[in-house]
Amino acid sequence: MNSGADRYLHVRKYTEKIFKPLATEDYIAQPAAFVSPPKWNLGHTTWFFETFLLKVYAPGYRIFDPHFDFLFNSYYNNIGQRVMRGKRGDLTRPTVKEVYAYRKHVDEAILEILNSNELKEVSDILELGLHHEQQHQELFWTDLKYTFGINPLFPAYPGKLPFSENIKETAGKFLQVEENLHEIGYDGIGFCFDNELERHKVFLRDFEISDRLVTNGDYMDFIKDGAYSNFNLWHDEGWKWVNDHKINAPLHWHEQNGAWHEYTLKGLRKLDPALPVTHISFYEASAFAEWKGMRLPTEFEWEAAASRFDWGKRWEWTNSAYLPYPGFKKAPGAVGEYNGNVMVSQMVLRGASVATSPGHSRPTYRTFFHPWERWQFTGIRLAK
Amino acid sequence: MNSGADRYLHVRKYTEKIFKPLATEDYIAQPAAFVSPPKWNLGHTTWFFETFLLKVYAPGYRIFDPHFDFLFNSYYNNIGQRVMRGKRGDLTRPTVKEVYAYRKHVDEAILEILNSNELKEVSDILELGLHHEQQHQELFWTDLKYTFGINPLFPAYPGKLPFSENIKETAGKFLQVEENLHEIGYDGIGFCFDNELERHKVFLRDFEISDRLVTNGDYMDFIKDGAYSNFNLWHDEGWKWVNDHKINAPLHWHEQNGAWHEYTLKGLRKLDPALPVTHISFYEASAFAEWKGMRLPTEFEWEAAASRFDWGKRWEWTNSAYLPYPGFKKAPGAVGEYNGNVMVSQMVLRGASVATSPGHSRPTYRTFFHPWERWQFTGIRLAK
Amino acid sequence: MNSGADRYLHVRKYTEKIFKPLATEDYIAQPAAFVSPPKWNLGHTTWFFETFLLKVYAPGYRIFDPHFDFLFNSYYNNIGQRVMRGKRGDLTRPTVKEVYAYRKHVDEAILEILNSNELKEVSDILELGLHHEQQHQELFWTDLKYTFGINPLFPAYPGKLPFSENIKETAGKFLQVEENLHEIGYDGIGFCFDNELERHKVFLRDFEISDRLVTNGDYMDFIKDGAYSNFNLWHDEGWKWVNDHKINAPLHWHEQNGAWHEYTLKGLRKLDPALPVTHISFYEASAFAEWKGMRLPTEFEWEAAASRFDWGKRWEWTNSAYLPYPGFKKAPGAVGEYNGNVMVSQMVLRGASVATSPGHSRPTYRTFFHPWERWQFTGIRLAK
Amino acid sequence: MNSGADRYLHVRKYTEKIFKPLATEDYIAQPAAFVSPPKWNLGHTTWFFETFLLKVYAPGYRIFDPHFDFLFNSYYNNIGQRVMRGKRGDLTRPTVKEVYAYRKHVDEAILEILNSNELKEVSDILELGLHHEQQHQELFWTDLKYTFGINPLFPAYPGKLPFSENIKETAGKFLQVEENLHEIGYDGIGFCFDNELERHKVFLRDFEISDRLVTNGDYMDFIKDGAYSNFNLWHDEGWKWVNDHKINAPLHWHEQNGAWHEYTLKGLRKLDPALPVTHISFYEASAFAEWKGMRLPTEFEWEAAASRFDWGKRWEWTNSAYLPYPGFKKAPGAVGEYNGNVMVSQMVLRGASVATSPGHSRPTYRTFFHPWERWQFTGIRLAK
């Protein structure tokens, strides 16, 4: 078996390993439009390989079920129609068992083509598909945490967690970075998404950046100080968001008998002040920084300093909007819909989280969410 | 075993018989707020007996799980808080297996109390609970039909259907009913819901009422004649509903290759013009009658004539609003929320449908839905 | 001048008399979709005569401005497109002066035709137009009260009011009405709207009905007793309405320095407990009756007893849905849209209010609003 | 009279000059939440001087009407409550005449203080207030154009326009700008808003920028090529916007008898292909650039090249999000709400438009709108 096949099996089996402990019921529900049911996630990652690799490069490939194009397409308009994003949880069929059969069918066809085809296009799309699947592995955790977290029974993940939500921050300091013209973007080593291109120069003034994340303890002080009712700390639209949704704490925080608790994938537990705060929106991250008399770093500051601090526990909000780098080119066709079409109204996050799959992070990686989204393992690093 | 226990087991086992063929996945989804997931339906009917019978009359009864009050309450404000109606599909836990265990636990306690307690209050609440469960048996079918009917795979019910959707209408005539003072409401024989009380006199003029239901064929003529784009036929709010939701046919109708098809619990099939039309809103029923130069009967006309025609295939829209009869009294406490609190903004339907459970229909039975609702087996009978 | 012309001028001049004291600014705003700006009201009543009378019966009539069909049509689909109801306040042009010129133009043409044409059709449509205009005279007052009542300056009507909002109720009693077959509907004397037809028999049991309206004082007791937070008193959808809109008192009530005040067309003033309560929804009227252990009368009970009590201060909510009488026939064409198309989802009110124009009330008159609407001078009469 | 007073009178009188030709009716309507009624605009600019200057620096100043704080505050949370933005058109009182009296009252007090007080704080806030008023002069034109443009009568501005919407573009070329470290932001000469600070270095690669704006003719080609139904050209959220709102042309374009017309402040006229396209959203600007195989410039590119082309006809969308410059500091208190609180989810526009008041533009000026907003005189300049 060649190394492409090895890597393919490694990533695909990891997906099944983390999904398998679920009860069948857990695969179905979609309690919010931004959550994908695990069944859909499982089918969609498979559909990606079938659509972009097998249908194009595997002559004689037998399509598993023509309906699956409609069911498991995410947002690729070029591929045709699809189930609306918020409607994925409405589908009880195909069954979970049938989706696993679909995976098996596609896996066999992929392994066959990898043994016979050495085209660069094939290995490129394979690599893209595997990184895409790793993104969905992380989404699996945050979607599941959301689904379990709104259930009054607060169920724990029924298997062994491959990561810990309990890695504490230790007292830190601000690192000094001097004014300079920095190189930003993909450095040519390994895989990158198109949004990390092209590498380019950015001039940055002197700045300071914290070597640790903001903790639950810090954030409790912010709450106690009345931050959620002090409009001076908030963006106008953040203030509206706080009031419209009656927000008074991070997602997954619950006050019980006068003490804050936090839902984690191991169940509900008393909030530990030493852990990094998580599940906060960009609005909350900004308001916290404002309250501290500091600010969030830009994505360029973050990247320029990333080698000097530990990161990887939380995705960190930056004060940079998600926009193309100089020279960015949208890939032609459906694959080009991946990043280019969403470069408006979102903010960049940098780093990685405890739920990021092994090997799926690097200093130039850019992820992005709307400023109100907070079901990811988001966090705050301060700059000044 | 006494006869109350017999009857209890009969109804409860029928529920399990019709639910059991489902895949686990089918128990979870809630594709619209008005649909209840089968798992919820299963738990809720059990919760009714636990709450109104066991907690009150069975000293020493051990509550299965205190969370279930929150999870399986429907709208009884007197009982406490509850999951919002549209959020029932968000809950993957408890599992289906656990809900069956809950049923078993409650069934055992009920049988025990029936063997030891002969209070009238107990047999009354038992009877109410069983009629309530029969209503949910019918909802099971229409909810499931909705869930399967919006799935692009159009799955069939995976078991043997205890009824047929294929009972044709035959050519009919209009029955004459002469002016008279009619007795309306419960006649004192067998069970009734509170909304069938009190029996009272209604003066009705001469009228004519059809002895058959409007058919798919009739309804296709209505469509072909452009009825969905002729505002003169519609109530103002019906016209708005047609346009806002781009309605152009009954629910579950699909045009494929130029021919109308209908989703049934046996799957998608070509529309049969001889079958009674179903899954139409009050707005559509009224517009159809207007188009025919006729009208819908009132609920009183329907009841006065019911002995003279066959009914029971479709729930029939009347032109009566759901309002209390003279002398109506809301039962005290939570049980009183059952009917009294919804007597506004709904229209009465009379009759029964193919999916109505055996023994759960009578000429004085009143059901009611909002004028836009159409996921029940609704139908049209004309009057003039 | 003939008597039709007399009557025409009388009604038309009354409209101008009550509109004229307004500032130009007051003619424009539409603070809620159900409110019509006075300018629109002024144009619409004129448009009615132009459209249904002049265009049809006055050969050679010169249309004032073809755009006005679009601007001043209310809901007559048969006439063509129209400005959406909620968008009437967006139109600053034509100016108020131009709309008065439009009235003058139409008035002259009407007077001319009345002097030369004695067709029954003309006098019928004239009569309908005048009753229609009288309805809009009352709407003028309630729309204006709404517009001024939401303005923090609480302006008073700038002219002399032709009615008083200050007619107190006096202590009353319940009238007994005996079981009987009553004649309901238009008795053949004078004008009626189509919805008062046909006269028909309704069988009513014994009932009692109050000879006075519920007062502000009674209603304050209801509020003090916590009625707005006791779901047992409310219809389910009323309870949702109370909570969604944070309702805790009638419209136009304002708590200032611990005391209830009421906005009236003479400005804000301390609430007088002896006045009849007004600006309450059907939900509130029903909840009040429930709290009293009584009920609202049906529209038939009201009509059967109307000769025995004083009425005319408030429009009185009944527990009857707005539905056609036996033998009701929708008039053909656009005029038929007047009543027939809205006979669903509304409740009937009976009586009249202080703002009803002289001569525009009778015991068989039926008006109707949605159960949540309360910007009219609505009131409560109890039955049991 | 000192020069501050001169300048104050000059700006204030210009406001009145452009408002005065309106009919009273035109001052009231608010056909969309983003439009301010001219009456509100007139009061608000006056309130700014009363609140930030007179109340603070003019001892003994008599407040004109304490309600006006509530009525004419825009979004300054620090000042207290205010009429919701979308509700400004609901207020018929105070009358227009009263608002002019308010202006007179404030003008007199300002002139008095300017003659007696030479504090730098006073002249700073005066200058800010005048620039603020100039922004509202431009908003006056675009708000009015919106209000007249949705009126089926398409009224023209009833006075003499101080600018022309008819300045044609001439055939152009792309200017080359070489890679460099550019100075961006306020250069220290004259007034600037806080968002132009601090001046800082930005590294830019080689780029080309057009010396003319995209024209109506260019844009008609884009439409004819089916751009509004080709999702590949659009941001995802732009594509949703196009479909949700059925957008198929710029705002104020109307197809009549097969030819495009454009509403202008002089009325509706046939579209002139040589004029720069205007009233397009950021989504449309981006899609147009994508269709051309080019892109929008960043705000830094625009500023770096601004000395080399003519600008000032249209506000030009850039592909830069509205974010703070390095070293940006929010002013303390209410004035700080001006810019700092809205730095999320908006895109930067550069340049100026025909409706910009004389003296109110400069190369470092940054304005910003949400990507879907298009009631301003927006335009497109291409880069590559």
Side-chain angles (χ1 to χ4, degrees), chain D residues 94-365:
Chain D
T95 61
V96 172
K97 204 172 151 187
E98 286 163 343
V99 175
Y100 276 110
Y102 176 41
R103 284 183 76 85
K104 189 156 174 285
H105 174 88
V106 165
D107 284 353
E108 287 167 1
I110 291 282
L111 291 176
E112 198 176 318
I113 198 180
L114 292 185
N115 282 326
S116 62
N117 180 323
E118 301 193 351
L119 280 175
K120 169 118 178 38
E121 289 89 336
V122 167
S123 67
D124 280 358
I125 201 78
L126 186 84
E127 198 59 28
L128 183 63
L130 293 175
H131 282 273
H132 171 257
E133 181 141 347
Q134 287 182 312
Q135 291 183 315
H136 278 274
Q137 289 166 356
E138 178 151 1
L139 288 168
F140 165 79
W141 292 115
T142 50
D143 289 350
L144 188 71
K145 188 170 178 181
Y146 189 86
T147 301
F148 281 177
I150 57 109
N151 190 313
L153 305 175
F154 293 125
Y157 173 66
K160 185 178 174 336
L161 275 181
F163 58 83
S164 167
E165 291 184 60
N166 288 340
I167 310 170
K168 306 190 184 200
E169 287 296 310
T170 48
K173 65 176 181 303
F174 276 81
L175 307 169
Q176 319 288 324
V177 183
E178 287 189 11
E179 178 173 301
N180 209 346
L181 203 54
H182 294 269
E183 292 285 334
I184 295 294
Y186 177 62
D187 61 5
I189 299 160
F191 174 85
C192 77
F193 282 112
D194 57 359
N195 65 8
E196 299 167 56
L197 293 170
E198 298 182 350
R199 190 164 177 86
H200 64 290
K201 292 189 181 65
V202 173
F203 183 81
L204 299 176
R205 293 178 170 199
D206 289 352
F207 67 95
E208 295 179 45
I209 190 165
S210 174
D211 68 352
R212 73 166 183 96
L213 295 171
V214 167
T215 64
N216 285 334
D218 299 334
Y219 204 86
M220 281 195 275
D221 291 342
F222 169 74
I223 295 176
K224 273 184 215 139
D225 197 39
Y228 281 101
S229 41
N230 177 0
F231 56 80
N232 276 311
L233 301 172
W234 298 84
H235 287 101
D236 261 21
E237 67 174 54
W239 182 239
K240 186 174 182 325
W241 172 82
V242 162
N243 287 286
D244 285 357
H245 301 276
K246 302 191 185 4
I247 306 288
N248 65 350
L251 180 68
H252 294 310
W253 285 32
H254 300 270
E255 206 164 11
Q256 293 197 342
N257 309 318
W260 282 114
H261 291 67
E262 183 180 28
Y263 174 73
T264 71
L265 284 162
K266 293 196 162 175
L268 196 71
R269 64 177 180 203
K270 201 148 176 301
L271 195 72
D272 181 343
L275 294 177
V277 71
T278 190
H279 299 300
I280 40 88
S281 66
F282 171 77
Y283 303 131
E284 289 165 299
S286 284
F288 182 88
E290 180 79 16
W291 176 74
K292 272 291 192 189
M294 302 185 194
R295 60 179 178 81
L296 301 178
T298 65
E299 64 168 318
F300 310 111
E301 290 171 336
W302 192 97
E303 187 172 326
S307 63
R308 296 178 51 197
F309 50 76
D310 283 332
W311 50 266
K313 298 194 199 85
R314 302 287 181 259
W315 283 103
E316 307 174 19
W317 286 109
T318 72
N319 202 36
S320 294
Y322 183 48
L323 290 168
Y325 282 174
F328 170 76
K329 269 178 206 63
K330 215 167 74 166
V335 168
E337 295 182 48
Y338 195 68
N339 273 313
N341 286 10
V342 296
M343 287 179 166
V344 66
S345 304
Q346 308 208 57
M347 300 304 286
V348 172
L349 299 101
R350 291 301 196 99
S353 89
V354 291
T356 307
S357 292
H360 191 72
S361 67
R362 56 194 166 272
T364 62
Y365 195 101

Side-chain angles (χ1 to χ4, degrees), chain A residues 357-371:
Chain A
S357 292
H360 191 71
S361 67
R362 55 194 167 272
T364 61
Y365 196 103
R366 309 168 79 197
T367 196
F368 43 88
F369 286 98
H370 290 99

Side-chain angles (χ1 to χ4, degrees), chain A residues 363-384:
Chain A
T364 61
Y365 196 103
R366 309 168 79 197
T367 196
F368 43 88
F369 286 98
H370 290 99
W372 58 83
E373 290 177 307
R374 55 186 202 156
W375 91 111
Q376 298 305 307
F377 285 102
T378 53
I380 311 173
R381 183 181 303 276
L382 295 171
K384 56 187 183 185

Side-chain angles (χ1 to χ4, degrees), chain A residues 87-384:
Chain A
K87 299 284 184 191
R88 291 170 185 167
D90 295 349
L91 304 174
T92 68
R93 308 301 182 91
T95 61
V96 172
K97 204 172 152 188
E98 285 162 344
V99 176
Y100 276 109
Y102 177 40
R103 285 184 75 87
K104 188 154 175 284
H105 173 88
V106 165
D107 283 353
E108 287 166 2
I110 290 283
L111 292 177
E112 197 177 317
I113 197 179
L114 291 184
N115 282 325
S116 62
N117 180 322
E118 302 192 350
L119 279 175
K120 167 119 178 38
E121 288 89 337
V122 167
S123 66
D124 281 357
I125 202 77
L126 186 84
E127 197 60 26
L128 183 63
L130 292 175
H131 282 273
H132 171 256
E133 181 141 344
Q134 287 182 311
Q135 292 183 314
H136 278 274
Q137 288 165 356
E138 177 151 1
L139 288 168
F140 164 79
W141 293 114
T142 51
D143 289 350
L144 188 71
K145 186 168 178 181
Y146 189 86
T147 301
F148 281 176
I150 56 110
N151 190 313
L153 305 176
F154 292 126
Y157 174 66
K160 184 178 175 335
L161 274 182
F163 58 82
S164 167
E165 291 185 59
N166 289 340
I167 310 170
K168 306 191 182 199
E169 286 296 311
T170 47
K173 64 177 182 305
F174 276 82
L175 307 169
Q176 319 288 324
V177 183
E178 287 190 12
E179 178 173 302
N180 209 347
L181 203 54
H182 294 268
E183 292 284 334
I184 296 293
Y186 176 62
D187 62 5
I189 298 160
F191 174 85
C192 77
F193 282 112
D194 57 359
N195 64 10
E196 298 166 56
L197 293 170
E198 296 181 354
R199 190 165 177 88
H200 64 290
K201 292 190 180 65
V202 173
F203 183 81
L204 298 177
R205 294 179 171 199
D206 290 351
F207 67 96
E208 296 178 46
I209 191 165
S210 173
D211 68 351
R212 71 165 184 97
L213 296 172
V214 168
T215 64
N216 285 334
D218 299 333
Y219 205 84
M220 281 194 276
D221 291 341
F222 170 73
I223 295 178
K224 272 184 218 142
D225 197 39
Y228 281 102
S229 41
N230 178 1
F231 55 79
N232 277 312
L233 302 173
W234 298 83
H235 287 101
D236 261 20
E237 66 175 55
W239 181 240
K240 186 176 182 325
W241 173 81
V242 161
N243 287 287
D244 286 357
H245 300 278
K246 303 192 185 3
I247 306 289
N248 65 350
L251 180 67
H252 293 310
W253 284 31
H254 301 270
E255 206 164 10
Q256 293 196 342
N257 308 319
W260 282 113
H261 290 67
E262 184 180 26
Y263 174 72
T264 71
L265 284 162
K266 294 198 163 175
L268 195 72
R269 65 177 180 204
K270 199 147 179 297
L271 194 73
D272 180 342
L275 294 177
V277 70
T278 190
H279 300 299
I280 40 87
S281 67
F282 171 76
Y283 302 131
E284 289 165 299
S286 285
F288 182 88
E290 181 78 18
W291 176 74
K292 272 290 193 191
M294 303 187 193
R295 61 179 178 82
L296 302 178
T298 65
E299 64 167 320
F300 310 112
E301 289 171 337
W302 191 96
E303 187 172 327
S307 64
R308 296 178 51 198
F309 51 78
D310 282 333
W311 49 268
K313 297 194 201 87
R314 302 287 180 257
W315 283 103
E316 306 173 20
W317 285 109
T318 72
N319 202 36
S320 294
Y322 183 49
L323 291 167
Y325 283 174
F328 170 76
K329 270 179 204 63
K330 213 166 76 166
V335 169
E337 295 183 46
Y338 194 69
N339 272 314
N341 286 10
V342 295
M343 286 180 168
V344 66
S345 305
Q346 309 207 58
M347 299 304 286
V348 172
L349 299 102
R350 290 303 195 98
S353 89
V354 291
T356 307
S357 292
H360 191 71
S361 67
R362 55 194 167 272
T364 61
Y365 196 103
R366 309 168 79 197
T367 196
F368 43 88
F369 286 98
H370 290 99
W372 58 83
E373 290 177 307
R374 55 186 202 156
W375 91 111
Q376 298 305 307
F377 285 102
T378 53
I380 311 173
R381 183 181 303 276
L382 295 171
K384 56 187 183 185

Side-chain angles (χ1 to χ4, degrees), chain A residues 21-32 39 65 67-68 70-71 83 87 89-98 147-148 150-153 155-156 158, chain B residues 21-32 39 65 67-68 70-71 83 87 89-98 147-148 150-153 155-156 158:
Chain A
L22 298 187
T24 302
E25 291 87 340
D26 299 330
Y27 282 87
I28 308 303
Q30 180 181 33
K39 186 180 78 173
D65 185 325
H67 288 103
F68 284 18
F70 182 80
L71 297 175
V83 173
K87 299 284 184 191
D90 295 349
L91 304 174
T92 68
R93 308 301 182 91
T95 61
V96 172
K97 204 172 152 188
E98 285 162 344
T147 301
F148 281 176
I150 56 110
N151 190 313
L153 305 176
Chain B
L22 298 186
T24 301
E25 291 87 340
D26 300 330
Y27 281 87
I28 307 306
Q30 181 180 33
K39 186 180 77 173
D65 185 324
H67 288 102
F68 285 18
F70 182 80
L71 297 174
V83 174
K87 299 286 184 191
D90 294 349
L91 304 174
T92 68
R93 307 301 181 92
T95 61
V96 172
K97 205 173 152 186
E98 287 162 344
T147 302
F148 281 176
I150 56 110
N151 190 314
L153 304 175

Side-chain angles (χ1 to χ4, degrees), chain B residues 283-358:
Chain B
Y283 303 131
E284 289 164 299
S286 284
F288 182 87
E290 181 79 18
W291 176 74
K292 271 289 191 191
M294 301 186 193
R295 60 179 179 83
L296 302 178
T298 65
E299 63 167 321
F300 310 110
E301 290 172 336
W302 192 96
E303 187 172 327
S307 64
R308 298 177 52 196
F309 50 77
D310 283 332
W311 49 267
K313 299 194 199 85
R314 302 287 180 259
W315 283 103
E316 307 174 21
W317 285 109
T318 73
N319 202 36
S320 295
Y322 182 49
L323 290 168
Y325 282 174
F328 171 76
K329 271 181 203 60
K330 218 167 71 166
V335 168
E337 295 182 46
Y338 195 68
N339 273 313
N341 286 9
V342 296
M343 287 181 167
V344 66
S345 305
Q346 309 208 56
M347 300 304 286
V348 172
L349 299 102
R350 290 301 196 99
S353 89
V354 291
T356 307
S357 292

